[in-house]
Amino acid sequence: MDDIPPYPPIDPTTFDLIVIGTGLPGSIIAAAASTASKSVLHIDPNPFYGSHFSSLPLADLPSFLSSHSTSPSPPRSVSSEEHHDFSLLGLAARPIYSSIDISSFSPDLIDQFSRKFILDVAGPRVFFCADKSIELILNTGANQYMEFKSIDATFVGDSKGNLLNVPDSRAAIFKDKSLGLMEKNLLMRFFKLVQGHLADEQDVKISDEDLQSPFVDFLNKMGLPPKIKSFILYAIAMADYDQEDTGVCGDLLKTKDGIDQLALYNASIGRFQNASGALLYPIYGQGELSQAFCRRAAVKGCVYVLRMPVSALLVDKDTGCYKGVRLASGQDIFSQKLILDPTFKVTLPSGSSPSPPLQAKLPFFSPKDDRGKVVRGICITKTSLKPDMSNFLVVYPPRSLFPEQVTSIRLLQIASNLAVCPPGMFVLYISALCNDDDQGKKLIHAVTKTLLTVPPPINSESSAAVQIKTAESGCAVQDETAESGSTGPSDPGEGKPTLLWSALYSQELTLGQVDFICSTPMPDGKLNYDDLIDAAVKLFKEIYPEDEFFPQTSSENREDDGDGDAFPET
Amino acid sequence: MHGRPRKAPKPEDEAASAAKAQKLRALQTQFFSFHHDQIYTKEAVELSAKLLEINPESYTAWNYRKLAVEHYLSQPECDPDSVKSVLDDELKVVESALRQNFKSYGAWHHRKWVLSKGHSSINHELRLLDKFQKADSRNFHAWNYRRFVAELMNRSEQDELKYTEDMIYTNFSNYSAWHNRSVLLSALLEKKAEGFLLKENVLPEEYEFIHQAIFTDPDDQSGWFYNLWLLDQTVTTDSPLLVSTWPTCGSDVLIMGDGCQNGSFSPFTTLLSDSGSFPIILYFNQPVEGVNSSTVTIECGFDKNGYLHWEPLSVSNSQAAQVWVAHLKFPTPELDSSVEVRVGHSKGIISTRGFQYCHPSTFSFNVHVQHVERDSFQVSVAESILWREENFKIYRAQSEESIPIASFDQLCIKNGHESTASNWRTEALAKEIECFRELLSLMDCKIGKLTLARLLMAYDAMSFPFATKLVHSEEVLELYNDLMKLDPTHHRYYKDEHSLVLLQKMTSSKESLLQHCFQYKDSVSSVIGNLICLRLNNLSLSRIGAFEKLLWVQMLDLSHNELQSIEGLEAMQLLSWLGLGNNKLGSVTALEPLRKLKSLRVLDISYNQIGDHSIDTTRYLCSSPLSHSVGSELNKDETAIIDAALVNYLEAFYMLKDLNLNQLDIVGNTIADETFKSALVKIMPTLKRLDGKVLD
């Protein structure tokens, strides 16, 4: 900690709002508050924007993950110096990632390009052309800082390694080679029913009773065969949990919500002229999104300070109310409101007893975790999973890979035309919800085993990775070797892309919270950002109930939806 | 381009369009004066370009530009470079006009004209087309132009087929694309290009392709149109076939019988003739041209000459017809002779699609002529016919008696038409039937039912030539009944189809046909007493068909049906007695087919709706006598007869003047008042009885 650069003093020292952490929800709130003419200070201890929503060079990813994986380095001693007005609450990072397993199977190649890979920390993630995040991006003008490309297709995978095209539109159903004529008819009629329902056509209204029933029951009622049901539930409505097994299902989709998802998907197809499918991905990776909102905030006067750790919160000795923060530079900055990154944990200064009001509040302020975790995997290959295709999504519905699989696994392949990897290379992002790390690892391994040839590991991983393995999950390597060995004879793996590098980690699902200190949520297990945007809006409303969240300035400024130039391809 | 609601114009828009109109009028006036004075200066030509940019629909301006180009090209100082630049300028004008309105006929036509000069680069055209077809993939102008450019470039049909397929994959609701596919496939099949040698290899794939569209969205019509085209390709044999004749092969024809049945002559083949000749009828499966004395030859004992005048039986006076007739004269003395007719032994009979008749066939029959005193014959046919129920007795056929339809199987089999090749057709139809049954099991679909009905009929017709067995007719009738209920808008069409199937069914076997055969007997008549009357009354028929099996009928009762048209009846050349009472015939022009029935003597059109409507709507639907056929035949002598009394009934005059009727019942029609009746007597001097009253 000796090499901490000298921090320049920040002026002014009082703000309306301090946001710590440049993750997406924090950046949106900073931009919204700045737009509402609040003075905002946005701080991030990292030297880059995006925090847990960032895209990092391959070389930097392991250290970022590991820095948030272990119990924090002992909290810096902030208690030594007593302030006469304030109590100091120490801020420490809390472990977010666990079971980190980084393996390199072709170290030379990876080292050579390690700066050319820009990897999303919270992948796989995409935009639906008509979802809330795209609306927000267009509304706020953040689109001027970003460019997008269309994801070419969606597939549903099975345990044999087949990737079945998801017929998600009229043209796709017509063109599909794997559906029978009856299936085509049933599926298209179902789409028409939904479209008619959404268009408020009287004779095709879906009854309220049906809308309140589980979506899967409604699909059964429509006589859809299992294959089509699976397409609709998991590859279009993007359900996370097994909808057929109500005993296990953590989240049973209602027909109403299913229909809304279909509506979103349908509205997404063809919304932008140069986007062929429903999904979009930003050029240079997902980290661009947080950064775009930060730039948007900066334009409105928000002050940005990166590489600036916060050492403590200042709270009123008497009331226990939040007053300000103490920066690593030692400077105290005051504000009325604070938004905190979810990775911090408040510690009590050692040897001092907090004032009674604070004592009453503290137990409630500990970041709340969602049930379960999300497991993420990043793989690098030199061959596309699907010849002649670059960017696509693959969904493995529950039970498609092994009987105990209760959640959907999603995989996103991104190619060099999205400027996140060198030409001829491909990045695969995989994620699934899980209860614990072991279950999560099993899910990711089931996918890699099905789709990739995993060579025996070479013991030349970066020291960080080795360290992590020995420290936390030494057994992971052995597990993997055993598994890949056993599949050898039955599955020759010929023609499968070879795995060059992989990262596997399990992430806490921390929800945003509103208390005497507000904190933003961690990336969730969804495919798009909509829930996170809802959470950001909610937080903003909480701290500024009087202000409008990004008031619509003038409709003329908005680009016409029909105009495909909103997202020019490069 | 499609499905965009029209917005009401705002006031400022209206003001703008008024200003635009003002400007346009000024331009136009200036332009017309240049055009009138044949001024082709640079300034004048530019003015026309300006005009076209605002209003691409100005045909005169396009024509003016053509004249200007021709004028310029005829100048002596014109060199190749400047020719090219002049034409390139034209292309630019067209392009900006198309940007204004890409559905402008004049602009696309002008572009073709310029390209046809052959000085312009064609490669640019495809790029331009891509742009227009991207903007609106269903723009048929662009598709039309594409075919033109593809031909000019010698682009292969295969490449164009690929392009069309891509367009279909983008959006299969595209009539133009499906149509283009049918055009390209026809060309490839005709050329017998590689991979397109045999229809039977190409069509199954096409069926597979169109099924994807139909099953995905049965409500989309464009796919069904292509499916219909495929069905037509499957069912229609290229080469025309002879389906039936009269007299039938191997039959004994007794002509001018005197009423007493002698020997084994069947009443089905006994013919009364007062003209000294009898007809020979050839019925093909599709309209053909070129039936004449060299393509159809006759060998018989009494007419050494062998020349016969073959006449096409079509109402539209075209030279192509499905039915052809010739009249063979026989000598007055009694005669027993055999006649052999050889059809198509020398080339020349060609279908309207251009395919040769290539199944030479021969049929022969025996003719027995019995002389009857002219006078008594005259009397007999003039006898009053009363279409009364009590006058008809069920006909009991003698066991060995040959009814014409049974004996005809032989000819069909001799044809042996593409017996091996037609296997794939039957198979294709069977597959289609299975496929559409499946679709209908999934959903109620009108066009699906209609298609299944068509398929089943086609299948029966193909499996059992000459429709001697109709396995599916009950199912088809049921389908049409359903459709009439499901889709009342097209009730009439379904009703017509239902009637045709019903007739096919009734004429499919000797047994079922005999149920409708009656003997006419009343207290007074003698001669016709031995004849068979086919009674197809009270069947609620709206249309008639199955003529190929009814060529032998001389007496036909169609009363108490719902006929609005008697189209096709002209094929029944032997008809002498025809009952059409209590139908829905709405005009005199509906009787047009009767003009071809030279032997018709007794006609009952009582209680129809002739004259109900002041405007004859059939004239716009069908070929009209006034539009072509009759007007041209009118000669001076005839115009002389048209006196003041007839002027009001010109149509009736044209329609009825050639009929040699002895008896006519027309009571119960709005038109049939006293004036009309007196006009009728003038039009038809042969008439002996009108509405039961004997005329002087």
Side-chain angles (χ1 to χ4, degrees):
Chain A
M1 297 294 160
D2 302 329
D3 55 88
I4 290 177
Y7 301 107
I10 294 168
D11 184 48
T13 54
T14 308
F15 290 86
D16 292 332
L17 170 67
I18 295 174
V19 180
I20 300 171
T22 54
L24 181 65
S27 303
I28 291 173
I29 292 167
S34 307
T35 306
S37 306
K38 312 290 176 195
S39 58
V40 184
L41 174 66
H42 202 173
I43 305 171
D44 197 307
N46 295 305
F48 50 84
Y49 289 93
S51 184
H52 300 280
F53 293 83
S54 63
S55 302
L56 298 175
L58 185 145
D60 296 346
L61 182 73
S63 58
F64 177 78
L65 292 175
S66 62
S67 71
H68 288 94
S69 67
T70 44
S71 290
S73 45
R76 229 165 286 129
S77 165
V78 288
S79 57
S80 53
E81 168 201 352
E82 268 295 325
H83 200 286
H84 59 282
D85 286 335
F86 309 111
S87 298
L88 290 178
L89 297 179
L91 278 185
R94 58 188 206 91
I96 294 291
Y97 303 107
S98 53
S99 297
I100 304 170
D101 174 3
I102 290 164
S103 314
S104 186
F105 304 96
S106 179
D108 299 344
L109 195 66
I110 294 302
D111 287 350
Q112 184 192 344
F113 292 115
S114 76
R115 291 264 146 209
K116 290 203 168 158
F117 287 101
I118 303 169
L119 304 177
D120 298 341
V121 178
R125 210 169 280 274
V126 294
F127 300 84
F128 288 82
C129 292
D131 69 9
K132 282 179 195 155
S133 42
I134 291 292
E135 276 321 304
L136 184 66
I137 288 165
L138 290 174
N139 257 337
T140 56
N143 57 319
Q144 57 189 303
Y145 309 118
M146 299 180 78
E147 277 182 287
F148 296 84
K149 248 187 193 307
S150 181
I151 295 296
D152 304 322
T154 307
F155 299 97
V156 161
D158 65 15
S159 58
K160 295 188 191 76
N162 298 318
L163 299 179
L164 292 178
N165 190 41
V166 173
D168 52 7
S169 66
R170 193 168 173 270
I173 294 173
F174 170 62
K175 205 172 177 173
D176 194 274
K177 299 264 189 277
S178 66
L179 289 179
L181 291 174
M182 302 264 265
E183 291 173 320
K184 288 189 173 195
N185 185 263
L186 283 167
L187 182 56
M188 189 60 212
R189 264 197 293 153
F190 179 74
F191 282 171
K192 277 189 166 181
L193 172 75
V194 172
Q195 278 161 12
H197 172 79
L198 293 167
D200 259 342
E201 285 169 26
Q202 278 312 309
D203 48 332
V204 285
K205 213 73 190 136
I206 299 169
S207 74
D208 283 340
E209 193 190 329
D210 280 336
L211 288 175
Q212 292 308 319
S213 67
F215 195 32
V216 63
D217 291 353
F218 183 64
L219 297 180
N220 282 329
K221 193 177 156 187
M222 294 292 115
L224 297 176
K227 182 163 80 175
I228 291 180
K229 267 193 304 190
S230 168
F231 282 159
I232 294 175
L233 286 169
Y234 307 109
I236 296 179
M238 304 292 175
D240 293 316
Y241 288 92
D242 192 344
Q243 303 288 310
E244 307 267 1
D245 186 351
T246 44
V248 189
C249 179
D251 186 13
L252 196 59
L253 200 61
K254 273 189 185 165
T255 303
K256 189 181 163 300
D257 302 322
I259 301 280
D260 286 347
Q261 283 296 312
L262 256 61
L264 170 64
Y265 202 98
N266 186 46
S268 295
I269 290 175
R271 178 173 184 195
F272 302 110
Q273 216 171 57
N274 46 16
S276 56
L279 309 178
L280 294 176
Y281 188 88
I283 293 173
Y284 303 115
Q286 296 291 347
E288 292 295 292
L289 186 59
S290 303
Q291 203 167 331
F293 280 101
C294 290
R295 292 175 75 169
R296 172 86 190 130
V299 167
K300 293 285 176 185
C302 177
V303 176
Y304 277 86
V305 182
L306 294 185
R307 299 172 211 271
M308 179 63 88
V310 177
S311 50
L313 300 183
L314 308 172
V315 292
D316 191 291
K317 254 188 179 158
D318 299 328
T319 61
C321 288
Y322 162 80
K323 286 292 169 195
V325 295
R326 173 160 300 172
L327 305 178
S329 61
Q331 193 182 9
D332 289 346
I333 309 277
F334 301 94
S335 72
Q336 306 198 320
K337 307 282 183 186
L338 174 75
I339 298 281
L340 203 58
D341 208 71
T343 55
F344 291 103
K345 159 161 107 174
V346 178
T347 55
L348 278 176
S350 53
S352 74
S353 61
S355 61
L358 197 57
Q359 233 166 3
K361 280 177 180 172
L362 268 179
F364 296 104
F365 186 75
S366 60
K368 284 176 194 149
D369 286 342
D370 193 4
R371 46 166 196 223
K373 296 181 162 198
V374 57
V375 63
R376 302 190 193 277
I378 305 175
C379 299
I380 291 173
T381 65
K382 258 203 310 194
T383 333
S384 172
L385 293 177
K386 193 98 183 159
D388 336 315
M389 276 222 165
S390 312
N391 308 306
F392 54 83
L393 180 73
V394 180
V395 177
Y396 286 94
R399 281 181 286 120
S400 61
L401 288 175
F402 54 94
E404 298 81 27
Q405 179 200 351
V406 293
T407 53
S408 298
I409 309 169
R410 302 190 194 101
L411 178 150
L412 181 67
Q413 176 178 295
I414 297 295
S416 61
N417 61 353
L418 283 160
V420 295
C421 60
M425 305 269 234
F426 299 88
V427 182
L428 314 179
Y429 294 103
I430 312 167
S431 81
L433 295 175
C434 58
N435 293 321
D436 55 59
D437 290 6
D438 286 345
Q439 192 191 23
K441 269 188 288 182
K442 199 176 168 196
L443 290 167
I444 303 289
H445 285 150
V447 174
T448 48
K449 213 171 73 184
T450 308
L451 291 176
L452 304 171
T453 306
V454 183
I458 299 166
N459 278 336
S460 60
E461 284 104 289
S462 69
S463 57
V466 175
Q467 210 174 21
I468 293 154
K469 262 181 197 159
T470 46
E472 293 223 343
S473 56
C475 59
V477 184
Q478 285 158 15
D479 275 0
E480 200 178 318
T481 357
E483 275 174 36
S484 57
S486 67
T487 55
S490 66
D491 199 347
E494 265 172 42
K496 284 184 188 176
T498 304
L499 183 61
L500 302 178
W501 182 92
S502 74
L504 193 156
Y505 49 100
S506 169
Q507 180 217 303
E508 303 285 337
L509 284 170
T510 310
L511 298 174
Q513 80 163 335
V514 177
D515 207 316
F516 87 108
I517 293 164
C518 296
S519 73
T520 54
M522 276 299 284
D524 58 17
K526 302 280 182 198
L527 188 60
N528 69 352
Y529 290 104
D530 280 11
D531 289 357
L532 292 161
I533 283 172
D534 284 345
V537 175
K538 201 177 144 207
L539 273 172
F540 179 82
K541 288 278 168 207
E542 191 64 39
I543 56 171
Y544 294 120
E546 306 293 313
D547 288 290
E548 210 183 323
F549 179 78
F550 287 114
Q552 197 96 39
T553 44
S554 60
S555 56
E556 289 96 74
N557 286 355
R558 284 226 22 208
E559 283 181 76
D560 182 26
D561 282 356
D563 185 0
D565 297 337
F567 297 118
E569 289 186 34
T570 47
Chain B
M1 309 305 148
H2 295 271
R4 290 191 185 177
R6 191 185 286 266
K7 284 185 200 141
K10 293 181 200 149
E12 59 262 35
D13 294 341
E14 277 175 15
S17 80
K20 192 179 157 190
Q22 182 70 36
K23 192 181 157 200
L24 192 64
R25 265 194 293 276
L27 264 176
Q28 219 148 10
T29 318
Q30 181 68 50
F31 161 73
F32 279 125
S33 85
F34 284 141
H35 186 25
H36 183 263
D37 300 337
Q38 302 186 357
I39 295 170
Y40 302 116
T41 60
K42 199 170 169 235
E43 185 207 357
V45 171
E46 272 170 11
L47 183 95
S48 72
K50 223 186 256 171
L51 176 65
L52 285 167
E53 203 173 324
I54 303 171
N55 177 20
E57 299 300 317
S58 176
Y59 265 78
T60 317
W62 289 120
N63 286 335
Y64 166 81
R65 288 195 74 88
K66 290 188 185 80
L67 290 173
V69 169
E70 298 289 7
H71 170 81
Y72 186 81
L73 297 185
S74 64
Q75 299 298 307
E77 70 269 17
C78 184
D79 59 81
D81 280 351
S82 57
V83 168
K84 195 173 178 314
S85 94
V86 163
L87 293 174
D88 283 351
D89 282 350
E90 290 306 302
L91 292 180
K92 272 182 211 134
V93 173
V94 173
E95 207 171 322
S96 67
L98 286 176
R99 223 170 274 137
Q100 175 71 19
N101 175 11
F102 61 77
K103 292 194 172 175
S104 163
Y105 284 85
W108 285 108
H109 184 259
H110 194 69
R111 200 166 186 91
K112 277 191 188 176
W113 182 81
V114 175
L115 262 285
S116 308
K117 297 257 162 213
H119 295 286
S120 319
S121 136
I122 310 173
N123 291 329
H124 175 66
E125 299 307 292
L126 279 187
R127 277 201 299 279
L128 186 80
L129 271 170
D130 278 343
K131 219 166 69 188
F132 281 114
Q133 288 186 304
K134 212 171 186 181
D136 182 358
S137 61
R138 304 191 267 197
N139 179 0
F140 69 87
H141 296 268
W143 282 95
N144 253 333
Y145 187 66
R146 187 175 186 94
R147 279 189 285 276
F148 168 80
V149 171
E151 199 184 327
L152 212 61
M153 289 177 75
N154 270 327
R155 223 172 111 89
S156 75
E157 276 94 356
Q158 282 90 335
D159 286 352
E160 283 297 287
L161 197 66
K162 177 79 186 58
Y163 175 82
T164 309
E165 199 164 306
D166 290 346
M167 293 298 276
I168 290 171
Y169 274 132
T170 320
N171 180 4
F172 63 86
S173 300
N174 191 335
Y175 287 97
S176 299
W178 288 114
H179 169 245
N180 202 42
R181 190 174 179 85
S182 70
V183 170
L184 292 167
L185 280 177
S186 301
L188 286 165
L189 283 167
E190 198 176 332
K191 272 189 188 170
K192 299 204 182 298
E194 203 188 326
F196 298 89
L197 201 61
L198 290 170
K199 250 189 187 179
E200 56 202 276
N201 297 339
V202 176
L203 291 186
E205 274 176 39
E206 291 305 300
Y207 273 121
E208 183 60 37
F209 191 41
I210 196 63
H211 289 161
Q212 310 301 317
I214 286 176
F215 273 74
T216 302
D217 192 355
D219 295 337
D220 182 74
Q221 293 185 32
S222 56
W224 289 102
F225 267 79
Y226 188 68
N227 191 61
L228 199 59
W229 179 77
L230 287 179
L231 182 58
D232 185 54
Q233 293 296 305
T234 311
V235 170
T236 322
T237 49
D238 291 341
S239 158
L241 295 172
L242 184 63
V243 247
S244 81
T245 63
W246 194 90
T248 51
C249 186
S251 63
D252 291 305
V253 182
L254 174 68
I255 292 167
M256 258 188 189
D258 59 0
C260 40
Q261 189 172 330
N262 46 0
S264 62
F265 288 114
S266 154
F268 291 103
T269 49
T270 304
L271 175 69
L272 292 168
S273 170
D274 55 359
S275 58
S277 68
F278 65 92
I280 298 174
I281 308 164
L282 302 179
Y283 198 108
F284 293 89
N285 69 340
Q286 51 186 298
V288 293
E289 290 174 25
V291 175
N292 53 42
S293 58
S294 65
T295 51
V296 179
T297 54
I298 297 252
E299 218 166 279
C300 66
F302 49 92
D303 190 346
K304 299 288 179 227
N305 172 1
Y307 174 83
L308 274 182
H309 174 69
W310 287 95
E311 185 194 347
L313 287 175
S314 79
V315 269
S316 62
N317 254 17
S318 95
Q319 281 312 298
Q322 210 178 334
V323 197
W324 289 77
V325 67
H327 291 271
L328 186 59
K329 282 199 164 36
F330 50 83
T332 33
E334 298 198 356
L335 169 86
D336 281 305
S337 171
S338 80
V339 179
E340 192 179 74
V341 183
R342 298 157 64 84
V343 183
H345 287 271
S346 64
K347 290 220 180 293
I349 302 177
I350 295 169
S351 77
T352 42
R353 299 179 188 206
F355 291 103
Q356 280 280 349
Y357 177 84
C358 54
H359 307 287
S361 50
T362 305
F363 64 97
S364 54
F365 51 89
N366 296 314
V367 188
H368 312 272
V369 180
Q370 285 187 357
H371 189 62
V372 176
E373 286 303 318
R374 189 99 189 143
D375 291 349
S376 74
F377 185 80
Q378 285 287 338
V379 171
S380 70
V381 287
E383 278 177 69
S384 164
I385 297 287
L386 293 168
W387 303 93
R388 282 204 203 118
E389 218 42 56
E390 65 264 27
N391 289 345
F392 292 103
K393 302 274 181 296
I394 287 273
Y395 179 73
R396 309 231 176 265
Q398 265 103 22
S399 54
E400 76 276 23
E401 187 165 55
S402 70
I403 183 165
I405 64 158
S407 65
F408 200 79
D409 286 349
Q410 298 156 350
L411 179 67
C412 286
I413 291 157
K414 246 188 280 166
N415 268 341
H417 54 86
E418 303 179 10
S419 56
T420 48
S422 69
N423 280 343
W424 72 266
R425 298 178 195 271
T426 332
E427 270 168 35
L429 287 178
K431 256 191 192 165
E432 283 296 280
I433 288 168
E434 195 186 325
C435 182
F436 285 106
R437 280 195 205 281
E438 198 175 294
L439 180 69
L440 290 173
S441 75
L442 286 171
M443 60 191 298
D444 232 13
C445 167
K446 288 179 281 187
I447 187 136
K449 284 191 182 207
L450 179 59
T451 305
L452 180 61
R454 286 172 173 165
L455 283 166
L456 290 171
M457 282 316 283
Y459 181 80
D460 279 357
M462 198 166 281
S463 327
F464 312 103
F466 203 59
T468 47
K469 209 167 160 193
L470 293 174
V471 186
H472 297 108
S473 56
E474 283 304 327
E475 187 184 352
V476 174
L477 290 173
E478 202 46 50
L479 283 168
Y480 282 122
N481 276 330
D482 270 7
L483 282 167
M484 281 185 249
K485 279 181 223 133
L486 272 175
D487 183 13
T489 336
H490 300 107
H491 184 275
R492 262 188 76 175
Y493 174 77
Y494 301 132
K495 177 90 190 157
D496 284 358
E497 293 300 302
H498 185 275
S499 302
L500 293 179
V501 176
L502 196 64
L503 280 170
Q504 288 286 358
K505 190 186 153 208
M506 288 186 303
T507 57
S508 62
S509 72
K510 185 170 164 178
E511 292 70 30
S512 65
L513 192 58
L514 276 175
Q515 287 174 11
H516 298 277
C517 291
F518 290 78
Q519 253 173 320
Y520 179 86
K521 267 217 161 68
D522 64 28
S523 45
V524 283
S525 68
S526 52
V527 173
I528 59 171
N530 198 29
L531 276 172
I532 299 299
C533 176
L534 181 67
R535 300 196 72 195
L536 301 171
N537 56 334
N538 266 317
L539 292 166
S540 79
L541 299 173
S542 65
R543 216 184 134 180
I544 39 175
F547 299 109
E548 70 276 17
K549 283 174 272 183
L550 302 175
L551 298 178
W552 52 273
V553 177
Q554 296 175 59
M555 188 173 194
L556 178 63
D557 181 7
L558 287 167
S559 63
H560 295 93
N561 279 304
E562 295 167 29
L563 295 176
Q564 290 178 315
S565 148
I566 50 170
E567 211 184 314
L569 200 71
E570 66 273 9
M572 298 172 73
Q573 285 290 306
L574 272 54
L575 268 189
S576 299
W577 297 271
L578 176 61
L580 286 168
N582 288 286
N583 274 292
K584 291 186 175 171
L585 298 172
S587 68
V588 185
T589 43
L591 301 174
E592 184 162 11
L594 301 184
R595 297 178 61 242
K596 301 275 177 183
L597 300 180
K598 298 297 176 206
S599 35
L600 190 65
R601 295 293 173 269
V602 177
L603 175 65
D604 178 7
I605 47 171
S606 59
Y607 301 101
N608 272 279
Q609 298 168 355
I610 301 173
D612 272 12
H613 307 286
S614 53
I615 292 169
D616 175 9
T617 47
T618 53
R619 190 189 297 179
Y620 306 106
L621 297 174
C622 326
S623 56
S624 147
L626 292 183
S627 61
H628 44 336
S629 56
V630 185
S632 56
E633 293 168 12
L634 206 61
N635 57 41
K636 272 183 198 153
D637 298 343
E638 285 171 331
T639 37
I641 327 172
I642 307 178
D643 60 19
L646 290 176
V647 162
N648 293 329
Y649 303 111
L650 274 179
E651 273 174 2
F653 172 73
Y654 292 134
M655 203 53 65
L656 303 172
K657 70 180 170 62
D658 296 329
L659 297 186
N660 292 314
L661 294 184
N662 295 334
Q663 180 185 333
L664 174 67
D665 290 279
I666 197 166
V667 68
N669 287 289
T670 314
I671 198 174
D673 57 10
E674 285 311 314
T675 0
F676 182 67
K677 284 192 188 174
S678 59
L680 281 181
V681 177
K682 284 190 182 169
I683 297 169
M684 293 183 287
T686 52
L687 212 56
K688 302 277 189 300
R689 278 169 198 267
L690 182 59
D691 286 335
K693 267 195 277 177
V694 180
L695 301 169
D696 307 327

